[in-house]
Amino acid sequence: MQSLKAGHLDASRWERRLQKELMSLMKEPPPGVEVDGDQAEQNLSLWTVHMKGAEGTLYEGESFQLQFKFSPKYPFDSPEVTFIGSNIPVHPHVYSNGHICLSILTDDWSPALSVQSVCLSIVSMLSSCKEKKRPPDNSFYVKTCNKNPKKTKWWYHDDSV
Amino acid sequence: MDSEDETLYDEVDSGNESSGDEVDFPMEVEGNNPRERQSEDDYPFEVLSTEEIVQHMVDSIKEVNMVVEIPATTTRILLNHFRWDKEKLMERFYDGDQEQLFAEARVINPFNRNSQVINRPKPNRRQSTSGTEECEICFTVLPNSLLTGLECGHRFCMGCWCEYLTTKIMEEGVGQTIACAAHGCDILVDDASVMRLVKDSKVKLKYQHLITNSFVECNRLLRWCPSPDCNNAVRVHYVDARAVQCKCQHVFCFQCGESWHDPVKCHLLRHWIKKCDDDSETSNWIAANTKVSQYNCNRYDEEEAKVARGAQEKSRAALQRYLFYCNRYMNHMQSLKFEHKLYASVKEKMEEMQQHNMSWIEVQFLKKAVDILCQCRQTLMYTYVFAYYLRKNNQSVLFEDNQKDLESATEKLSEYLEREITSENLADIKQKVQDKYRYCESRRKVLLEHVHEGYEKDWWDYNETDSKPNAMARLPVIEHPARPNNN
Ligand SMILES: [Zn+2]
Ligand SMILES: [Zn+2]
Ligand SMILES: [Zn+2]
Ligand SMILES: [Zn+2]
């Protein structure tokens, strides 16, 4: 007990946690989700996750890329998660610059959540979408926001959409 | 002003006797004897230092625990939930649904630890038969004894708890409402657990500050002294828009925390301050570019506004009117800011006069004059806020006459204080200054009493206080699930 230090996870524990997360995501990925294992092995703090639009949803046949950035304070600090690449899903919670309005990525983050649970949340967010459209304030937000979506103070009004 | 009468406090001050100590609030407290203060018009209050605030919090918990037998840590969370209103807590505790009460306050019911009425996530123990358990945060397998948790049953290793709490306290500045580390669990971490799990004394100290601050902020009967660098709080018996004076000498309104602002009411002052903030750019420009005659008149000429035709002229007239009152308000505020300079110069004069064979007593009138001058300026300053919102009627005309009287008397007094005083003219000056400040004092009293009477008899009508819509307010309101609020 005395050996435990305050602050963030020490490097080896941070690494072990991310390594374990990576392994389990590679072994048992949620449907339509695939992590770029080689890239993550090279740099544990930056992952790319490929995501396929689920069958029977508005995004069927599309594929997207998610970027996860982990600070040294992960998992006490939430990961920075954005859509990247040429195809950003058109969704009322996804801005055209890839920023996602999802409460577990900021306010409701818990260190007991994981990359896996974030992926599942995003898959379900896309799957439950009834109309493909951008957030109404998209252009204003994209022009004025900080590069880091975690710097945005989001108003989470409805998580069911 | 100070009274040693402690009977008023018997109900809340449990004194210094330490009982079987059910309360283990982990802050060190010095014993003390709070001294009661009283404002001139019988509004009892008390100034508390940081240590006294903590003592007060501990006393409040003890008091509830004498009636309700639950852990002190739970009591603190419950009391905080009810904004430290003991009566409300007791009422809900005995009359309402207790299960619901504990759920709302985000603690496990201490009488029924197994109940899980609310949909709180079930702890999923990754427990093996070998007496080890995996921490869900760092994924380390550890002996059961190294994992711990709250009553909700979510267990993590001590190291992860410590890091989790440290992040919440140091980075996010959360003290009172740190939830369990499990996702979706809203059970609050009690203070004893925080103090047990956090090792760094800097973090502990910050946590104590956060807790004390939230105690003061949510306790209706407490208010931090708004003076910068002052760590005292003022405690009252009931909330009212009354003047209280901190030990640092600052006098403020208990209800709104602004400097004491008689005769204007808190809500109008708040509206005014917001207006000044919103319009500061415009008014600064205009003030710099327009010459407004000062002191010749305290009443804005409404006729000018009446002839204004067309939207542009009207808005210009409205702005002129605002500037008229704003200028006078700012003038007095500005003069008050130089208060300390005035005191310094008067002190010099007094010393000089004492060297010319005048007694200490003989020269005290000067200090008294400055005191009264400052009081008058403070009152006058807020009369312009009052007047800005006031709608014209017979009483408002009388009010403006009173204001005018006080205004000119105050400026006269100010002038006298700037005059050279020699041993030859001393007697004469002294007489004049004393007459003037007595006059000022009486005029100030008359003005305030008249406004107060108006409040009682409902004489005062106000102009619209809804501020004109600003650019933001005119934007359409978008019903949108994901509206970012960038700042
Ligand atoms: Zn752990
Ligand atoms: Zn929990
Ligand atoms: Zn003070
Ligand atoms: Zn007030």
Side-chain angles (χ1 to χ4, degrees), chain A residues 26-96:
Chain A
M26 283 164 75
K27 269 196 224 150
E28 304 160 33
V33 171
E34 195 192 327
V35 60
D36 184 337
D38 291 341
Q39 189 209 9
E41 290 282 6
Q42 299 260 311
N43 178 2
L44 260 185
S45 61
L46 188 74
W47 300 11
T48 304
V49 170
H50 300 275
M51 192 174 270
K52 283 202 174 69
E55 273 176 45
T57 71
L58 295 177
Y59 303 94
E60 184 174 338
E62 287 184 70
S63 50
F64 312 105
Q65 277 179 50
L66 276 171
Q67 187 185 67
F68 281 74
K69 277 191 197 168
F70 305 98
S71 78
K73 301 213 163 198
Y74 182 79
F76 301 101
D77 187 19
S78 64
E80 184 188 322
V81 185
T82 46
F83 280 104
I84 54 165
S86 51
N87 193 26
I88 307 287
V90 178
H91 183 281
H93 289 189
V94 182
Y95 289 88
S96 55

Side-chain angles (χ1 to χ4, degrees), chain B residues 391-408:
Chain B
R391 210 174 266 178
K392 196 171 173 165
N393 61 24
N394 292 341
Q395 292 298 340
S396 84
V397 172
L398 185 53
F399 162 75
E400 279 172 334
D401 289 342
N402 285 337
Q403 188 188 32
K404 191 177 169 186
D405 252 15
L406 182 59
E407 177 81 66
S408 64

Side-chain angles (χ1 to χ4, degrees), chain B residues 112-385:
Chain B
N112 188 7
R113 296 224 148 95
N114 301 316
S115 73
Q116 289 281 351
V117 267
I118 6 176
N119 41 348
R120 202 168 279 137
K122 289 231 167 61
N124 59 330
R125 298 247 181 122
R126 305 185 182 185
Q127 213 164 351
S128 72
T129 44
S130 57
T132 59
E133 215 174 321
E134 185 181 46
C135 170
E136 263 187 84
I137 294 176
C138 62
F139 295 165
T140 317
V141 178
L142 292 162
N144 292 350
S145 63
L146 290 186
L147 279 86
T148 184
L150 309 170
E151 304 274 4
C152 54
H154 300 111
R155 289 159 58 82
F156 305 99
C157 79
M158 310 251 195
C160 284
W161 268 117
C162 176
E163 283 145 26
Y164 172 71
L165 296 170
T166 302
T167 308
K168 288 283 168 191
I169 295 163
M170 301 308 278
E171 321 245 310
E172 298 173 31
V174 193
Q176 191 59 56
T177 54
I178 304 176
C180 166
H183 172 59
C185 180
D186 68 350
I187 289 302
L188 296 179
V189 186
D190 59 89
D191 54 288
S193 298
V194 172
M195 297 310 269
R196 178 169 59 91
L197 291 163
V198 166
K199 300 277 173 267
D200 188 336
S201 59
K202 236 193 281 164
V203 182
K204 286 185 182 184
L205 198 65
K206 171 91 186 283
Y207 176 72
Q208 292 176 339
H209 281 162
L210 289 166
I211 292 288
T212 318
N213 192 43
S214 90
F215 172 69
V216 173
E217 306 249 286
C218 69
N219 193 322
R220 289 183 325 111
L221 301 176
L222 288 173
R223 185 184 277 283
W224 287 116
C225 168
S227 175
D229 308 322
C230 180
N231 292 316
N232 294 334
V234 167
R235 185 160 93 94
V236 297
H237 298 283
Y238 60 94
V239 179
D240 201 356
R242 302 286 278 272
V244 291
Q245 183 172 29
C246 181
K247 281 176 184 152
C248 75
Q249 302 308 312
H250 183 59
V251 181
F252 60 98
C253 168
F254 186 82
Q255 185 159 277
C256 70
E258 288 295 333
S259 294
W260 181 232
H261 53 73
D262 204 19
V264 73
K265 294 268 189 190
C266 305
H267 72 280
L268 286 181
L269 178 63
R270 199 179 318 126
H271 189 272
W272 171 261
I273 289 171
K274 189 176 178 302
K275 186 172 174 57
C276 291
D277 282 351
D278 292 351
D279 296 355
S280 65
E281 230 169 283
T282 332
S283 25
N284 284 345
W285 186 87
I286 294 184
N289 292 279
T290 326
K291 278 197 180 136
V292 182
S293 52
Q294 283 166 5
Y295 302 134
N296 52 356
C297 176
N298 65 317
R299 183 177 301 165
Y300 177 70
D301 185 3
E302 299 281 351
E303 292 310 309
E304 212 173 295
K306 274 187 193 147
V307 295
R309 274 173 237 274
Q312 207 182 348
E313 258 180 71
K314 274 207 177 97
S315 99
R316 198 181 156 69
L319 187 62
Q320 288 291 356
R321 180 173 184 279
Y322 163 67
L323 284 173
F324 175 90
Y325 289 102
C326 190
N327 260 300
R328 276 146 189 80
Y329 169 81
M330 292 293 188
N331 262 322
H332 288 294
M333 189 195 271
Q334 223 39 54
S335 307
L336 278 172
K337 277 193 187 140
F338 295 119
E339 184 182 339
H340 59 279
K341 276 195 186 161
L342 192 54
Y343 274 112
S345 95
V346 160
K347 196 169 166 242
E348 222 170 82
K349 263 185 202 165
M350 286 160 72
E351 274 159 13
E352 200 189 301
M353 283 153 68
Q354 277 169 283
Q355 288 181 353
H356 287 90
N357 289 332
M358 269 164 264
S359 72
W360 182 85
I361 290 282
E362 269 181 305
V363 299
Q364 285 309 304
F365 74 96
L366 274 177
K367 192 189 164 293
K368 173 97 178 161
V370 180
D371 287 342
I372 288 174
L373 178 68
C374 289
Q375 283 170 11
C376 288
R377 288 206 183 281
Q378 179 112 351
T379 302
L380 277 167
M381 170 175 154
Y382 293 110
T383 60
Y384 287 106
V385 182

Side-chain angles (χ1 to χ4, degrees), chain A residues 7 17 73 95 110 137 153 155, chain B residues 137 163 171 181 482 484-485:
Chain A
R17 156 122 190 188
K73 301 213 163 198
Y95 289 88
S110 141
D137 54 346
K153 289 246 181 272
W155 290 102
Chain B
I137 294 176
E163 283 145 26
E171 321 245 310
N485 170 19

